[in-house]
Amino acid sequence: MRLRKRKWMDSLLEESAYLLKEDDVEEFLKRTQNLVLEIGSGKGKFLLEMARKNPECEFLGVEIQRSALAISIKTIGEEKRNNLHFICSDIQKLFFKFSDESLNAIYLNFSDPWPKKRQQKRRLTYPSFLKEYYRLLKRGGKLYFKTDNEDLFSDSLHYLKDSSFILESMTMDYNGEDSMDALTDYEIKFRSQEKKITRFVARKGE
Ligand SMILES: C[S@@+](CC[C@H](N)C(=O)[O-])C[C@H]1O[C@@H](n2cnc3c(N)ncnc32)[C@H](O)[C@@H]1O
């Protein structure tokens, strides 16, 4: 969903230490260890909670919408989180900047479903994306995917089957019990509507 642009957003983003400037991205990726990536971090609730719970890891949110990022930064407020970072970009434009086997984990939370046939290659679980994730993850690194959308979930399982990933677990009615997880903004809304949430965890072999 497109978020409305507000006047305060640009100055907040410009001044924020959480938002990586385009020129600094490559240097950041080169020097950062124990990196966990969320693609489509939206309003940032998930990543903030993960960064609080796992201070030993560095968390990077890539989000294409500046307005969503501005809300993330507003939500963090005065809290000092040295292990939390954001980039405003389409992930497809960033892949080439990441080294092979540089990520501990990748999270895709309630990704856009792109239901029309001609749009499906934009899905973040589409085979071309899975191929990049496989390259970026360390051996044993994990891809976490959760969604409320049945078609997206079942198609994504098919994409996964044709990839090099190993399916580690799959849940048709996920209740959020994994310690390596946190609630997202969309998830809170869907849970309040008693929608079923599905999830898989896939692994890159050792
Ligand atoms: C449905 S929202 C879910 C947001 C959040 N993960 C949550 O669960 O609350 C999907 C988000 O992914 C972002 N997005 C979609 N495609 C993207 C891409 N190629 N690169 C970066 N962000 C993307 C959208 O702008 C949107 O904020």
Side-chain angles (χ1 to χ4, degrees):
M1 192 213 291
R2 289 268 139 209
L3 294 165
R4 211 185 289 165
K5 190 172 181 253
R6 308 263 179 208
K7 270 190 190 150
W8 54 268
M9 291 178 165
D10 279 337
S11 55
L12 189 70
L13 287 169
E14 252 152 56
E15 287 158 21
S16 176
Y18 289 107
L19 186 65
L20 288 165
K21 306 267 179 300
E22 212 183 315
D23 289 349
D24 300 333
V25 170
E26 276 185 80
E27 166 59 23
F28 168 84
L29 293 175
K30 226 177 263 168
R31 74 175 142 81
T32 307
Q33 305 289 316
N34 282 330
L35 188 59
V36 173
L37 172 69
E38 184 191 12
I39 306 173
S41 52
K43 297 181 189 170
K45 185 176 176 50
F46 169 86
L47 219 56
L48 175 57
E49 189 52 30
M50 290 294 278
R52 284 177 182 148
K53 286 203 297 190
N54 303 280
E56 72 288 359
C57 291
E58 298 288 327
F59 290 87
L60 173 64
V62 174
E63 170 54 56
I64 199 167
Q65 285 193 70
R66 275 176 74 80
S67 317
L69 279 175
I71 295 172
S72 307
I73 284 156
K74 197 171 180 206
T75 305
I76 301 166
E78 296 299 304
E79 193 170 328
K80 297 275 174 282
R81 281 276 138 228
N82 295 334
N83 63 338
L84 182 56
H85 319 270
F86 294 94
I87 298 175
C88 185
S89 174
D90 180 335
I91 187 64
Q92 294 183 86
K93 295 185 179 159
L94 280 186
F95 282 140
F96 79 98
K97 296 195 177 185
F98 287 85
S99 306
D100 295 359
E101 308 201 339
S102 58
L103 297 178
N104 286 16
I106 299 174
Y107 286 84
L108 307 174
N109 295 319
F110 301 90
S111 308
D112 295 325
W114 298 113
K116 292 186 186 142
K117 194 92 189 147
R118 64 185 160 77
Q119 299 173 325
Q120 288 178 357
K121 56 179 179 301
R122 296 189 205 168
R123 288 172 165 177
L124 294 180
T125 52
Y126 202 70
S128 51
F129 285 84
L130 291 183
K131 210 172 157 194
E132 287 291 350
Y133 305 154
Y134 197 83
R135 177 181 74 79
L136 302 186
L137 282 168
K138 293 177 184 168
R139 285 160 203 271
K142 291 183 186 176
L143 172 69
Y144 297 85
F145 174 61
K146 58 181 170 178
T147 181
D148 63 307
N149 188 293
E150 285 176 25
D151 289 341
L152 176 64
F153 190 70
S154 82
D155 289 351
S156 300
L157 281 172
H158 284 295
Y159 305 150
L160 195 71
K161 224 169 144 197
D162 292 336
S163 77
S164 306
F165 278 102
I166 300 161
L167 180 63
E168 192 171 272
S169 67
M170 181 180 84
T171 322
M172 297 309 288
D173 191 3
Y174 176 59
N175 60 15
E177 71 275 15
D178 189 343
S179 64
M180 281 312 291
D181 196 20
L183 283 170
T184 82
D185 289 282
Y186 270 67
E187 186 170 0
I188 291 169
K189 186 174 83 186
F190 294 142
R191 287 196 184 280
S192 74
Q193 297 166 350
E194 299 190 351
K195 274 198 177 179
K196 238 183 215 170
I197 289 162
T198 49
R199 183 181 191 243
F200 69 64
V201 182
R203 179 166 45 86
K204 176 167 173 173
E206 297 290 341

